[in-house]
Amino acid sequence: MADKKIKSIKSGKGKQPSNEQIVSGFNQLRQEQRALMTKIAELEGDQNEHRLVLETLNEVDGERRCFRLVGGVLVERTVKDVIPALDHNKDQLAKLIETLNKQVEAKGKEINEYREKFGIRVRGEQPPEEAAEHKKSTGPGAQGVLVANSSGLESVD
């Protein structure tokens, strides 16, 4: 439902959205980007654990028993059986991380387009020279939105 709200705001159909709607849409986009970045960090941690386990198991005899958690069940296998599965999982994690990084880049572009469309700037950020000149030329009727880094949000006319 929230995605529809952002898409309707971005499409420009109907009347101009209120400052609150613009800020809400912007914050939702940033939250989606943060969620992707959190997932990437989690998967990178898993990938690092796989790498460490593989390094350790490569130094061990292939016939040695080891235990692996599969779907919440602890199973006993030999090292030579576990290494290929771990290697495959590590490769799959790398592919997933790469895909998520591309999604983060796309979301960043989407956020920047949204910022440009609605004249959003984050508190503490210097306004671009063009925006300052544009505001002078448009007079007091110009509208912009200021978004704080923390939860305190303000709108600026």
Side-chain angles (χ1 to χ4, degrees):
M1 181 176 140
D3 288 335
K4 291 179 184 176
K5 185 187 339 179
I6 289 177
K7 288 179 183 176
S8 68
I9 290 172
K10 287 169 58 177
S11 68
K13 295 179 181 173
K15 58 184 179 180
Q16 178 72 13
S18 70
N19 284 346
E20 290 78 21
Q21 290 172 324
I22 293 170
V23 170
S24 173
F26 178 70
N27 285 334
Q28 181 181 355
L29 289 171
R30 288 194 337 178
Q31 182 59 34
E32 290 170 4
Q33 187 182 37
R34 277 190 216 109
L36 286 170
M37 293 171 71
T38 300
K39 188 65 174 174
I40 289 171
E42 177 186 332
L43 293 173
E44 285 175 341
D46 289 348
Q47 186 181 32
N48 188 42
E49 287 179 18
H50 277 72
R51 182 187 56 79
L52 289 172
V53 170
L54 282 168
E55 286 175 4
T56 303
L57 290 179
N58 283 329
E59 299 171 2
V60 177
D61 178 39
E63 295 300 319
R64 187 170 174 180
R65 292 184 308 160
C66 64
F67 295 89
R68 180 172 181 227
L69 194 62
V70 179
V73 178
L74 194 61
V75 294
E76 181 180 347
R77 300 276 188 250
T78 61
V79 171
K80 68 179 180 183
D81 293 334
V82 171
I83 288 177
L86 286 175
D87 202 29
H88 176 73
N89 286 352
K90 189 178 108 188
D91 292 342
Q92 293 299 317
L93 285 171
K95 289 177 185 176
L96 183 57
I97 289 169
E98 183 180 328
T99 302
L100 289 175
N101 278 325
K102 288 178 185 175
Q103 288 179 8
V104 167
E105 285 181 33
K107 187 61 72 176
K109 289 177 185 175
E110 184 179 356
I111 288 171
N112 288 336
E113 289 170 3
Y114 192 87
R115 287 178 68 175
E116 289 174 14
K117 180 175 181 177
F118 293 109
I120 298 173
R121 63 184 176 94
V122 178
R123 185 181 292 164
E125 179 181 81
Q126 283 294 83
E129 298 296 327
E130 303 164 347
E133 291 176 12
H134 182 265
K135 187 164 185 158
K136 288 178 187 174
S137 67
T138 58
Q143 179 182 10
V145 179
L146 176 66
V147 180
N149 284 331
S150 63
S151 61
L153 303 176
E154 284 182 24
S155 63
V156 176
D157 294 333

